[in-house]
Amino acid sequence: MSYIRFFMPMTSEANGYGFKSRQPAGRSIVEGRSGNYKLTVWAQDLMAETFYSVFLLFSDDGRYAGVAMGSLAVDEKGKGEMRREFADDILGRFALNDIVAVAVVVRGASGVVSPLCGYKDEVVSWRHGFYEFEMKPESVPEPEPTLEPEPEFILEPESIPEPEPISEQEPIPEPEPEAIPEPIPKPVLELELEPEPVLEPESEPEPTLEPEEQLTMHWADTLPQGEMAKAFRSALEKLRTETIQSSTECNPQPNILLLFSNNEPVTPFATQNRKTKWVSFNLSDNVPPPCNMPNLFHDPFIQAAHREYGHLIFGMTIDHGPCRYIIGLPGVYDQESRQKARRLGFNQFKCCKDAYPTWGETGYWLMFVTLC
């Protein structure tokens, strides 16, 4: 088979994905022979912190099938590069010579957009008829079990020795039963049990005890190690209960109540465990940051998410449990965003639909905060 090489310059077909208001650009090359190929994609001036997928596009009866080739990682300067080696088997019924384009795709609430796309020949309108091609596994019938015939055992008469005649005068001695040896007793080992270690939780602060409680804990010093651990855990549980009760009695600040009365209510999630009231806000609203992070809203990660999605969300639980405040940052679940979100304290990602987070899923990074 002859050598195949397609060079396709890539231009932007979507607004809002440029780095510092620049126009994204790039190029792609597909090359190889004998069913072994390589795809190379270069991009520049693309917005960072966005999940980009790369597809090979093929025409399919009025629609356009996209064969997924992986993700395009973009650094903080807007540059991205992807190299992928592949074979004919991932193309299914399509042939590489029939390729239409190489597209960089972003999937969101508004559908499929293409910040970069390079065409082999002429430009085609493919986004409304786009679907992701998936190989269907061929059903292989299970082989019927082969039953081997049972072997026939033919006893030759001459192969059986004839028994020796037994004299009637001589009684047949009965075999003596074999002596069963008495079991050797195993030595009994006396094991010294180590006292149960007292494990102190990593994240729970040590309780500040009143004089009476100190007396109780001093009395527990006379207990065995295991009971000392139980007494210590009981004290921690009491402290946790008092903390939850104090958070329940925390009254919302006036500006929080004003936020919920003036801002637009939203329903960001299909399901949620606790009854929570949500509103949408932007960084110009007077939303108090967490007590321990006064400069949270100035972080570049939050600024970039606000520029891309135009909002954040703020939640307050309104059921009978402890009152909690929650800041939600819109985004896509990927490895880079996960590291940046956790660095700030957004330790949970919840999908907008009722689904477990998977790479590329849209939703919100959540931070539970204390404001009073």
Side-chain angles (χ1 to χ4, degrees), residues 21-70:
S21 302
R22 300 173 187 168
Q23 191 72 5
R27 61 187 186 276
S28 60
I29 297 177
V30 182
E31 55 188 339
R33 63 161 57 91
S34 301
N36 297 314
Y37 306 107
K38 181 173 70 173
L39 168 68
T40 308
V41 177
W42 295 274
Q44 64 183 15
D45 295 330
L46 264 179
M47 177 188 293
E49 301 175 355
T50 302
F51 187 80
Y52 299 101
S53 301
V54 179
F55 290 91
L56 303 181
L57 298 182
F58 297 89
S59 178
D60 183 21
D61 193 20
R63 302 180 66 194
Y64 290 90
V67 178
M69 301 301 293

Side-chain angles (χ1 to χ4, degrees), residues 5-6 30 38 52 55 57 60-61 104 109 137 146 154 156 177 188 207 218 241 255 268 272 275 298 301 334 358:
R5 188 176 191 272
F6 302 124
V30 182
K38 181 173 70 173
Y52 299 101
F55 290 91
L57 298 182
D60 183 21
D61 193 20
V104 177
T146 304
I154 303 176
E156 299 292 340
V188 179
H218 178 72
T241 303
N255 54 347
Q272 52 190 20
K275 189 175 181 181
H298 298 287
F301 180 61
D334 57 51
T358 56

Side-chain angles (χ1 to χ4, degrees), residues 83-246:
R83 298 177 185 271
R84 165 78 185 274
E85 295 183 359
F86 62 97
D88 276 334
D89 54 356
I90 72 168
L91 302 180
R93 64 179 182 272
F94 303 108
L96 191 61
N97 279 324
D98 299 329
I99 187 174
V100 174
V102 175
V104 177
V105 172
V106 174
R107 293 190 178 184
S110 59
V112 176
V113 296
S114 177
L116 283 176
C117 187
Y119 296 91
K120 173 188 171 185
D121 297 316
E122 60 182 2
V123 177
V124 297
S125 178
W126 57 271
R127 287 184 298 277
H128 295 294
F130 172 81
Y131 74 94
E132 185 173 347
F133 175 76
E134 295 181 359
M135 291 283 293
K136 295 183 179 179
E138 298 181 359
S139 58
V140 180
E142 297 183 358
E144 297 183 358
T146 304
L147 301 179
E148 297 182 358
E150 296 183 358
E152 297 181 358
F153 297 96
I154 303 176
L155 300 179
E156 299 292 340
E158 60 271 18
S159 64
I160 303 176
E162 295 183 358
E164 296 180 358
I166 300 175
S167 173
E168 296 181 356
Q169 289 77 14
E170 297 180 359
I172 301 174
E174 297 182 357
E176 297 182 359
E178 297 182 359
I180 301 175
E182 297 182 359
I184 301 175
K186 296 183 180 179
V188 179
L189 301 180
E190 295 183 359
L191 301 179
E192 296 183 0
L193 299 179
E194 296 182 1
E196 181 181 353
V198 181
L199 301 179
E200 297 184 1
E202 298 179 358
S203 60
E204 294 286 345
E206 297 183 1
T208 303
L209 303 178
E210 298 297 332
E212 294 182 358
E213 294 176 330
Q214 292 177 359
L215 178 61
T216 304
M217 293 301 293
H218 178 72
W219 166 78
D221 291 341
T222 62
L223 300 175
Q225 290 286 345
E227 296 189 16
M228 288 179 63
K230 294 179 181 179
F232 183 75
R233 286 194 291 267
S234 298
L236 288 180
E237 185 64 28
K238 180 180 179 181
L239 177 65
R240 185 182 297 109
T241 303
E242 293 175 352
T243 303
I244 293 175
Q245 291 176 353
S246 62

Side-chain angles (χ1 to χ4, degrees), residues 196-309:
E196 181 181 353
V198 181
L199 301 179
E200 297 184 1
E202 298 179 358
S203 60
E204 294 286 345
E206 297 183 1
T208 303
L209 303 178
E210 298 297 332
E212 294 182 358
E213 294 176 330
Q214 292 177 359
L215 178 61
T216 304
M217 293 301 293
H218 178 72
W219 166 78
D221 291 341
T222 62
L223 300 175
Q225 290 286 345
E227 296 189 16
M228 288 179 63
K230 294 179 181 179
F232 183 75
R233 286 194 291 267
S234 298
L236 288 180
E237 185 64 28
K238 180 180 179 181
L239 177 65
R240 185 182 297 109
T241 303
E242 293 175 352
T243 303
I244 293 175
Q245 291 176 353
S246 62
S247 64
T248 306
E249 298 171 357
C250 174
N251 295 322
Q253 299 178 5
N255 54 347
I256 295 296
L257 296 177
L258 192 63
L259 178 69
F260 279 95
S261 62
N262 292 343
N263 286 48
E264 178 186 2
V266 293
T267 307
F269 307 114
T271 59
Q272 52 190 20
N273 294 332
R274 295 191 58 185
K275 189 175 181 181
T276 306
K277 185 177 181 180
W278 296 94
V279 292
S280 174
F281 75 94
N282 55 53
L283 297 183
S284 62
D285 292 332
N286 187 21
V287 177
C291 301
N292 59 342
M293 300 184 68
N295 298 320
L296 173 68
F297 296 133
H298 298 287
D299 188 87
F301 180 61
I302 294 183
Q303 295 278 340
H306 183 262
R307 285 195 304 269
E308 181 173 358
Y309 297 96

